[in-house]
């Protein structure tokens, strides 16, 4: 083969490598941006009016500064802030809410097409005076972080800018923000389902011999393998390092550290994936077979089965309509009637009954969302009504005695993401139905 031919072939290959993208071809980055624009348009059209009117808010102002983004920045369209900017929604009657972005600008927010006006600067005081709102919602909350984006200095700035009487018309938009985020449109449900499937696939691969070699692999190695999957696939997480832990008779023995995984270990993973603006929260369980074992030991399997039975009660009980707090009480009654025992978190009893703790929290734009929450650790949101399209992490902890633990109770955590419809709880992806086996 001649050197001239080889040089010619090399030139041809290089030319192929550097051919410009086909005109009109869309990158993954653009596809994701377009999907978020569709979600934003649907939310502004369908959810925002009911959220504002249901909470008696005439105007909602989100304040942002350069270098200090409100937690709702991705929901509202990103955008660059040069000094101080405002996203202002005003209920002026009719079937839609007026949307104006002042000082929050840029290609993405302008070209998304969901705002009536995107301007580099504006006279906020004159804008508010013209619309004369009675109640102006701002992002401040004692208990919901994602609804508490207004800093103290921005609060002072807003009061000074608006002056009287509007400075005294500022109220917390806490419940409005919860409703706006936690009530879902179809385009969000599709995106969250994809995030859930990513979570499940990565977690179940992590708990396999593809990743784990007993006696060699450390807990932190599994966590870093998962982190690499997120990096390679352009994903994110609400939770930092995945929690990879070992459960024993005394509870959690080690979490995401240098502890080497051994045969006979009972492993748990607690984590979630971020895709677009949606973040999951889920768990998986695995058992590392001892030499000669071909299945999960019977006591451990029974504990898992009891946890699934408790989950079945929870799934068929949750319905839209009541507050999250009333639903928590109803779940307790239904579980007790089914032979389970409700306890405080991580305080199992010594009797033979399976103890249960319920932590069915909101999920969605964070691994722990801001909607109604059927969980003791979200007391404010226990007061919020459950409505169709709310997303929940169906989370529980079941404690059952097992001979393999010397008669002590095993803590079985179950957690998968679901949506509440008029029919009740519906899973986003296949929920955990087995203990994974590592050979």
């Amino acid at each position: 083969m001649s050197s001239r031919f080889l040089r010619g072939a090399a030139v041809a290959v290089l030319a192929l490598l550097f051919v410009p993208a086909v005109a009109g071809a869309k990158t993954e980055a653009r596809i994701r941006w377009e999907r978020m624009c569709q979600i934003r348009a649907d939310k502004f059209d369908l959810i925002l009016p009911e959220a504002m009117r249901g909470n008696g808010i005439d105007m909602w102002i989100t304040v942002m500064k350069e270098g200090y983004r409100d937690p709702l920045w991705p929901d509202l369209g990103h955008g660059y802030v040069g000094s101080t900017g405002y996203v202002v929604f005003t209920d002026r009657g009719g079937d839609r809410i007026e949307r104006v972005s002042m000082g929050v600008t840029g290609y993405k927010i302008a070209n998304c097409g969901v705002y009536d006006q995107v301007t580099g600067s504006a006279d906020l005081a004159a804008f508010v005076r013209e619309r004369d709102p009675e109640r102006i919602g701002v992002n401040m909350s004692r208990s919901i972080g994602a609804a508490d984006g207004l800093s103290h200095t921005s609060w002072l700035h807003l009061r000074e800018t608006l002056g009287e009487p509007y400075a005294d018309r500022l109220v917390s938009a806490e419940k409005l923000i919860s409703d706006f985020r936690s009530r879902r449109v179809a385009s969000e449900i599709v995106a969250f389902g994809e995030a859930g499937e990513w979570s499940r696939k990565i977690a179940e691969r992590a708990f396999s011999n593809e990743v784990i070699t007993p006696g060699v692999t450390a807990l932190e190695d599994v966590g870093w393998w998962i982190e690499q999957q997120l990096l390679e696939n352009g994903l994110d997480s609400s939770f930092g390092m995945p929690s990879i832990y070992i459960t024993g008779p005394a509870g959690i023995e080690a979490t995401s550290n240098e502890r080497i995984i051994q045969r006979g270990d009972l492993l748990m993973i607690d984590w979630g994936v971020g895709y677009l603006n949606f973040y999951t929260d889920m768990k998986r369980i695995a058992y590392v077979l001892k030499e000669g074992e071909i299945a999960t030991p019977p006591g451990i399997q029974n504990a898992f089965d009891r946890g699934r039975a408790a989950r079945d009660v929870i799934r068929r009980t949750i319905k839209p309509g009541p507050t999250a707090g009333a639903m928590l009480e109803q779940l307790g009654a239904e579980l007790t009637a089914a032979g389970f025992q409700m306890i405080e978190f991580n305080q199992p009893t010594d009797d033979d009954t399976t103890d249960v703790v319920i932590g069915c929290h909101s999920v969605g734009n964070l691994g722990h969302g801001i909607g109604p929450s059927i969980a003791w650790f979200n007391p404010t949101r226990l007061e919020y009504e459950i409505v169709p399209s709310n997303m929940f992490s169906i989370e529980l902890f079941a404690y059952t005695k097992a001979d393999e633990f010397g008669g002590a109770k095993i803590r079985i955590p179950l957690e998968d993401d679901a949506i509440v419809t008029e029919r009740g709880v519906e899973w986003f992806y296949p929920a955990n139905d087995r203990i994974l086996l590592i050979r």
Side-chain angles (χ1 to χ4, degrees):
M1 187 177 294
S2 70
S3 60
R4 179 181 296 177
F5 176 83
L6 291 174
R7 287 196 299 271
V11 170
V13 169
L14 288 171
L16 288 173
L17 289 175
F18 292 98
V19 169
V22 177
K26 292 182 179 179
T27 63
E28 177 65 15
R30 178 162 190 145
I31 290 169
R32 293 190 184 192
W33 171 72
E34 289 178 345
R35 293 186 67 182
M36 283 304 304
C37 286
Q38 181 63 56
I39 288 168
R40 204 168 290 120
D42 292 343
K43 293 284 277 192
F44 288 0
D45 286 345
L46 304 173
I47 304 298
L48 187 57
E50 69 179 45
M52 289 184 67
R53 292 166 185 170
N55 290 283
I57 302 293
D58 305 304
M59 177 179 283
W60 173 25
I61 302 176
T62 296
V63 182
M64 299 193 201
K65 291 181 179 179
E66 183 177 24
Y68 184 79
R69 299 166 178 165
D70 189 274
L72 298 180
W73 184 69
D75 304 63
L76 301 181
H78 296 93
Y80 172 73
V81 185
S83 54
T84 300
Y86 317 94
V87 175
V88 186
F89 299 102
T90 309
D91 184 0
R92 308 188 78 177
D95 59 358
R96 72 188 299 279
I97 299 296
E98 179 189 52
R99 317 92 179 253
V100 176
S101 178
M102 306 176 184
V104 184
T105 61
Y107 177 97
K108 289 183 178 180
I109 192 168
N111 286 276
C112 199
V114 297
Y115 284 95
D116 301 319
Q117 185 179 6
V118 176
T119 177
S121 61
D123 186 340
L124 180 65
F127 183 90
V128 173
R129 282 196 304 271
E130 180 184 345
R131 285 150 182 79
D132 192 27
E134 289 297 320
R135 299 182 79 237
I136 306 171
V138 292
N139 302 3
M140 56 186 187
S141 169
R142 289 184 178 273
S143 60
I144 303 177
D148 194 35
L150 186 67
S151 69
H152 178 65
T153 51
S154 291
W155 161 260
L156 296 176
H157 163 80
L158 193 57
R159 288 185 57 85
E160 180 180 348
T161 299
L162 295 181
E164 297 302 338
Y166 301 105
D168 285 338
R169 296 182 185 180
L170 300 178
V171 298
S172 170
E174 174 185 82
K175 181 61 164 50
L176 183 161
I177 294 169
S178 174
D179 290 346
F180 174 69
R181 259 197 166 179
S182 67
R183 298 180 183 185
R184 304 298 176 177
V185 294
S187 47
E188 289 183 286
I189 295 167
V190 171
F192 189 88
E194 293 177 52
E197 191 60 29
W198 274 112
S199 301
R200 181 178 77 96
K201 290 192 295 186
I202 293 173
E204 292 181 4
R205 282 181 64 197
F207 275 179
S208 74
N209 288 107
E210 175 187 352
V211 177
I212 296 174
T213 300
V216 175
T217 307
L219 296 174
E220 64 185 3
D221 295 334
V222 181
W224 282 118
W225 181 88
I226 291 173
E227 287 288 291
Q228 184 64 26
Q229 299 307 303
L230 297 181
L231 182 64
E232 291 177 3
N233 291 287
L235 303 172
D236 197 1
S237 177
S238 276
F239 299 111
M241 188 68 159
S243 294
I244 314 296
Y245 61 95
I246 294 171
T247 292
I252 296 175
E253 294 183 359
T255 302
S256 301
N257 60 12
E258 70 281 359
R259 160 70 151 82
I260 301 297
I261 297 169
Q262 303 291 346
R263 297 195 176 277
D265 282 342
L266 187 61
L267 300 173
M268 316 287 175
I269 179 173
D270 187 357
W271 82 309
V273 154
Y275 172 67
L276 298 176
N277 186 31
F278 301 97
Y279 292 80
T280 65
D281 189 6
M282 53 89 72
K283 295 182 175 69
R284 284 297 181 266
I285 302 174
Y287 176 73
V288 187
L289 293 168
K290 295 179 181 178
E291 296 294 343
E293 288 183 328
I294 60 173
T296 304
I300 296 175
Q301 184 62 53
N302 176 63
F304 181 79
D305 292 342
R306 291 295 292 159
R308 285 188 62 192
R311 185 181 67 188
D312 288 343
V313 174
I314 292 171
R315 185 189 178 194
R316 66 173 178 259
T317 301
I318 295 176
K319 296 287 192 299
T323 65
M327 181 53 65
L328 183 59
E329 292 183 7
Q330 185 178 346
L331 286 173
E334 294 290 338
L335 284 163
T336 299
F340 297 96
Q341 184 167 243
M342 306 304 296
I343 61 166
E344 299 292 325
F345 183 62
N346 272 349
Q347 295 183 27
T349 65
D350 292 328
D351 61 29
D352 295 331
T353 307
T354 294
D355 303 321
V356 175
V357 175
I358 298 170
C360 298
H361 60 80
S362 172
V363 73
N365 303 99
L366 295 165
H368 283 210
I370 65 172
S373 190
I374 313 169
W376 82 94
F377 48 81
N378 293 143
T380 296
R381 285 173 284 142
L382 283 171
E383 301 172 5
Y384 293 176
E385 179 184 346
I386 300 170
V387 302
S389 82
N390 285 157
M391 297 175 180
F392 287 92
S393 164
I394 304 300
E395 181 178 22
L396 70 144
F397 302 86
Y399 306 75
T400 306
K401 286 185 176 180
D403 291 340
E404 294 84 1
F405 277 31
K409 286 187 172 179
I410 300 178
R411 187 182 83 153
I412 297 292
L414 292 174
E415 183 174 25
D416 281 292
D417 299 319
I419 187 168
V420 174
T421 70
E422 291 83 354
R423 295 176 293 272
V425 171
E426 301 182 27
W427 299 117
F428 276 106
Y429 51 84
N432 192 9
D433 65 353
R434 69 193 188 281
I435 296 176
L436 301 167
L437 295 179
I438 299 169
R439 303 183 186 281

